[in-house]
Amino acid sequence: MDLASNLQINGDRLWDSLEEMAKIGPGIAGGNNRQTLTDSDAEGRRLFQRWCEEAGLSMGVDTMGTMFARREGADPSLPPVYVGSHLDTQPTGGKYDGVLGVLGALELVRSLNDLGIRTKHPIVVTNWTNEEGARFAPAMLASGVFAGVHDMGWAYDRRDAEGKRFGEELERIGWKGEEPVGGRPMRAFFELHIEQGPILEDEGIDIGVVTHGQGLKWLQVTLTGRESHTGSTPMPKRRNAGLGMARVTELVHEVAMAYQPDAVGAIGHVEVYPNSRNIIAGRTVFTIDIRSPDKCVLDAMDGRIRAGIAQICEALDIAHEIEQVGHFDPVAFDEGCVKAVRDAAERLGYSHRDIVSGAGHDACWINRVAPTAMVFCPCVDGLSHNEAEAITKDWAKGGADVLLHAVVETAGI
Ligand code: HGY
Ligand code: MN
Ligand code: MN
Ligand code: MN
């Protein structure tokens, strides 16, 4: 069989599924707000489960809520090829971040069904719980427990901004499964994802062959000064935690700029107390997000930022606490799986280039317990974590075609 021309996904069906899923947990500006363990997450999970059952898959759910939809292989005793991503979104997320990887994997199975192809190894389509980490930090929580990085009890104790506990919310939406987390035989894991950056589109390239994922640190900082009147407190007598946060924001930017092109840094989450117009902020809580493909750079940035925060607080007479609430070192994906992705793009005639992932993904953790690789497709203006996130139907099809070939090559027919 001429693999390239016969083995392709149904791009229209994939696009329709993406549009259907996007109706669940709509955002306010055309994207999605389907945050993990909310009622809309539960609704999206039910829709995905229905589609999986219609495709003849058998669903299993582990105690972190991760969904595993299994397509039997010719030899059920062989370790499955896992393929998937995440259905949860940012509060102002797009329709494709994560979702393309889950529904692209489902489309892969639907196409194998249409073509009557039975792979040797089973295939398991996966939806990882809480990849985004927007509601419950850190990101990639369930895949982190699965990879043995986080303890499940610690994960269950994570709380959202309203103090709700992960474990209770998982039970409340009815998606706490029975299966143990991790410890599964896995032949490989593949994840299709939008690039979430501008490189592929700028270079007019169809496919990103993801060789590495950059490392990440999330540092939660609490600055404590003193609340006082914004009108009657003389400037020299202020202990302004808001000013401290502003200076740390500038510090993070300056440190990242000092390590270009291999560094990024920003603060995206801030809380100001008491957040009243005429009270000097007595306390601020915010999260620093720094990343680099180079572990030494990541560690150096961490050190410079911590030292800088101490100096800022000394000058402003405010106290500080720093808690590392997220971290993974740069990852190198499995060369065999990366080659399967590259060969697939080549065979299908898609333009492709090797690329390092700027964003974190479940694949970054699963790479610790199974040979893993990722497929990127472009996204418009490289925009993501923004409701205006957009891709084209062709880009979605190209990514899913390459995913299909890489998985079939690895699962064998
Ligand atoms: O933070 C990340 O990189 C991922 O989108 N959760
Ligand atoms: Mn994602
Ligand atoms: Mn994301
Ligand atoms: Mn991911």
Side-chain angles (χ1 to χ4, degrees), residues 110-316:
R110 286 168 167 170
S111 298
L112 291 175
N113 289 346
D114 292 348
L115 292 163
I117 293 175
R118 177 71 52 192
T119 54
K120 287 195 185 111
H121 290 252
I123 290 172
V124 176
V125 177
T126 310
N127 168 32
W128 298 102
T129 300
N130 190 32
E131 190 277 345
E132 289 294 358
R135 184 183 175 199
F136 297 99
M140 292 86 85
L141 186 61
S143 49
V145 176
F146 186 93
V149 174
H150 303 308
D151 167 74
M152 192 168 77
W154 178 81
Y156 270 34
D157 284 341
R158 311 308 295 153
R159 290 191 185 272
D160 69 7
E162 292 161 18
K164 289 186 182 149
R165 190 169 164 274
F166 180 94
E168 269 94 49
E169 281 296 280
L170 183 62
E171 297 214 57
R172 182 187 66 80
I173 66 164
W175 280 94
K176 179 181 174 185
E178 305 283 318
E179 296 180 6
V181 181
R184 295 166 172 252
M186 298 175 78
R187 167 66 187 81
F189 174 63
F190 288 94
E191 181 169 3
L192 166 62
H193 208 286
I194 59 172
E195 179 200 337
Q196 298 181 296
I199 296 169
L200 296 177
E201 187 190 38
D202 287 353
E203 296 181 7
I205 290 179
D206 305 317
I207 297 293
V209 179
V210 189
T211 57
H212 298 78
Q214 70 175 343
L216 159 152
K217 281 192 179 192
W218 282 2
L219 305 176
Q220 181 170 296
V221 180
T222 302
L223 302 183
T224 307
R226 185 177 58 195
E227 294 171 24
S228 59
H229 198 299
T230 50
S232 53
T233 311
M235 293 305 277
K237 291 196 174 299
R238 296 178 180 209
R239 297 175 53 212
N240 187 339
L243 178 57
M245 179 174 70
R247 289 187 178 171
V248 173
T249 302
E250 179 70 27
L251 168 72
V252 169
H253 181 79
E254 282 166 4
V255 169
M257 294 309 287
Y259 289 96
Q260 289 308 297
D262 290 333
V264 290
I267 292 172
H269 148 255
V270 297
E271 295 165 24
V272 179
Y273 299 96
N275 205 23
S276 167
R277 288 176 187 78
N278 44 7
I279 299 180
I280 291 167
R283 186 162 60 88
T284 52
V285 182
F286 51 94
T287 307
I288 295 169
D289 179 322
I290 48 174
R291 309 194 189 197
S292 174
D294 180 333
K295 180 172 173 5
C296 298
V297 168
L298 191 60
D299 292 344
M301 290 166 75
D302 183 347
R304 281 183 60 173
I305 286 169
R306 289 173 187 269
I309 289 173
Q311 283 171 352
I312 288 166
C313 291
E314 171 91 21
L316 295 177

Side-chain angles (χ1 to χ4, degrees), residues 86 88-90 97-98 131-132 193 196 359-361 384-385 389:
H86 61 92
D88 67 307
T89 76
Q90 287 285 332
D97 172 1
E131 190 277 345
E132 289 294 358
H193 208 286
Q196 298 181 296
H361 301 284
S384 182
H385 285 196
E389 179 184 280

